Amino acid sequence: MKWAEISIQTSHEATEAVADIFHDLGASGVVIEDPELVNAYRRSGSWDYCDIPEELNTEVVTIKAYLPVDELLDDKLRVFEERVNRLHEHNLDKGRGCINCREVQEEDWASSWKEYFHPVRVSEHIVIKPSWEAYLPAEGDIVIELDPGMAFGTGTHHTTAMCVRFLEDVIKPDNIVFDVGTGSGILAVAAAKLGAASVRAVDLDPVAVRVAKENTAFNNVTATVEVTQGDLLTGVDGKADVIVANIIADIIIKMLPDVRARLVDNGVFIASGIITERLSDVTAALIDNGFVVDKVTEEGGWVAIVAGSGSR
């Protein structure tokens, strides 16, 4: 099958908005090439080996998404360009705004990014490694083997890494966890390996569901993790001790009433995928829905929040 790779050079502040536009046009995921993030990992020593050169211009973020080459593509490209050009109406700088489109084969899309993915420590105990590379664990390491495939989530982006660290802090052995918008399944696998009793992972995209199931199998946690296709919490039964959602601010705000209803008393909600500029919007919505904001962490222009449901 042929796909169109749509890429745009934009700014840090417009990253979430551009990803949201891609999502509205039917893209199941985005690739964010953030030079600040790459430089940070190069300097941290987290990668055993890296031949990626230091990026000098860290202001330009490249975002890529993939859409099928069909009769709707031209209209989608026109809408994409129009919406990007209107970002200034929301006080967002689109940056360079250079848009490119090229055709790729599915197998090229699924594997071309692999040169950027190496073993990396994302928390005190958790190390994420690609399935095709070797890693010798240190004492106390929890190794998650990952093949993100076409679901894109490698677990190394700030938003995912912050969620993993929060999960490491809050997961207890008897916990039930819901992972909403699971993508490649990294957070569901992390919750299971941290000792959760049961994990329900949900994603609307069937490709993400397939990849998440494969990754739970890689990590031998299929007895703990159930992966299903669904729209946010719709169709998810019961209540959870912990709900984690690494999505975007607007969707997090939209789903808060459902999150509140699906958490046990004194449950924990972990939310990420939020740009710093939207922190006040999300915290206000959390408070309006009866949550208590316990902790906020910011990295690289992104925010993750831990909020408690309290007792009714």
Side-chain angles (χ1 to χ4, degrees):
M1 182 175 181
K2 287 188 177 180
W3 296 82
E5 179 189 82
I6 318 301
S7 64
I8 179 170
Q9 293 181 320
T10 188
S11 64
H12 287 279
E13 69 182 64
T15 296
E16 181 183 16
V18 171
D20 198 20
I21 296 170
F22 275 134
H23 180 270
D24 289 346
L25 292 176
S28 60
V30 297
V31 177
I32 300 174
E33 297 178 356
D34 184 342
E36 283 188 353
L37 179 63
V38 173
N39 285 350
Y41 274 114
R42 290 182 80 263
R43 295 165 186 161
S44 70
S46 297
W47 282 335
D48 292 336
Y49 170 77
C50 178
D51 59 1
I52 304 172
E54 180 88 6
E55 290 285 351
L56 300 179
N57 183 359
T58 60
E59 298 304 313
V60 178
V61 179
T62 301
I63 305 177
K64 298 178 181 179
Y66 297 84
L67 297 171
V69 176
D70 56 21
E71 67 277 3
L72 301 176
L73 179 61
D74 287 343
D75 285 341
K76 288 179 179 179
L77 288 172
R78 176 181 52 78
V79 170
F80 179 72
E81 184 174 9
E82 289 175 354
R83 290 185 61 180
V84 166
N85 289 333
R86 292 204 306 269
L87 287 176
H88 67 90
E89 298 173 6
H90 303 281
N91 298 315
L92 292 173
D93 177 15
K94 71 176 182 180
R96 290 180 179 175
C98 301
I99 300 171
N100 290 295
C101 178
R102 71 183 184 98
E103 284 191 9
V104 294
Q105 297 294 329
E106 187 168 294
E107 57 270 22
D108 296 331
W109 163 27
S111 61
S112 61
W113 50 268
K114 287 186 176 181
E115 63 183 288
Y116 299 100
F117 186 20
H118 305 285
V120 60
R121 181 177 300 279
V122 295
S123 70
E124 182 180 356
H125 296 291
I126 292 182
V127 175
I128 298 172
K129 84 168 195 70
S131 59
W132 55 90
E133 288 203 9
Y135 174 77
L136 181 63
E139 184 177 354
D141 279 357
I142 299 173
V143 179
I144 296 177
E145 188 166 312
L146 199 65
D147 188 345
M150 290 161 26
F152 296 116
T154 64
T156 58
H157 192 266
H158 291 299
T159 57
T160 313
M162 287 188 288
C163 285
V164 170
R165 289 193 285 273
F166 281 150
L167 285 171
E168 192 168 282
D169 289 339
V170 306
I171 292 293
K172 296 180 175 63
D174 60 346
N175 279 172
I176 296 171
V177 179
F178 294 165
D179 175 17
V180 184
T182 192
S184 57
I186 174 64
L187 297 179
V189 172
K193 291 210 168 194
L194 287 166
S198 173
V199 183
R200 180 76 176 271
V202 184
D203 205 292
L204 185 61
D205 177 23
V207 173
V209 171
R210 175 178 59 79
V211 172
K213 287 181 177 179
E214 292 172 354
N215 285 321
T216 59
F218 286 157
N219 289 278
N220 299 312
V221 292
T222 52
T224 303
V225 180
E226 179 186 6
V227 184
T228 59
Q229 185 175 358
D231 187 4
L232 303 178
L233 285 166
T234 302
V236 180
D237 298 325
K239 292 191 175 186
D241 301 284
V242 178
I243 296 178
V244 58
N246 181 19
I247 314 180
I248 60 173
D250 287 334
I251 295 179
I252 289 168
I253 291 170
K254 174 185 175 182
M255 68 184 288
L256 283 178
D258 288 337
V259 173
R260 185 70 174 82
R262 308 309 288 280
L263 276 172
V264 300
D265 290 346
N266 299 311
V268 176
F269 178 46
I270 300 171
S272 191
I274 306 160
I275 58 172
T276 305
E277 290 80 2
R278 298 298 306 278
L279 173 60
S280 60
D281 297 333
V282 177
T283 53
L286 283 163
I287 293 168
D288 287 345
N289 282 274
F291 287 91
V292 176
V293 176
D294 295 324
K295 190 172 183 180
V296 176
T297 299
E298 188 273 337
E299 287 184 10
W302 298 89
V303 174
I305 301 171
V306 176
S309 63
S311 57
R312 294 179 185 270

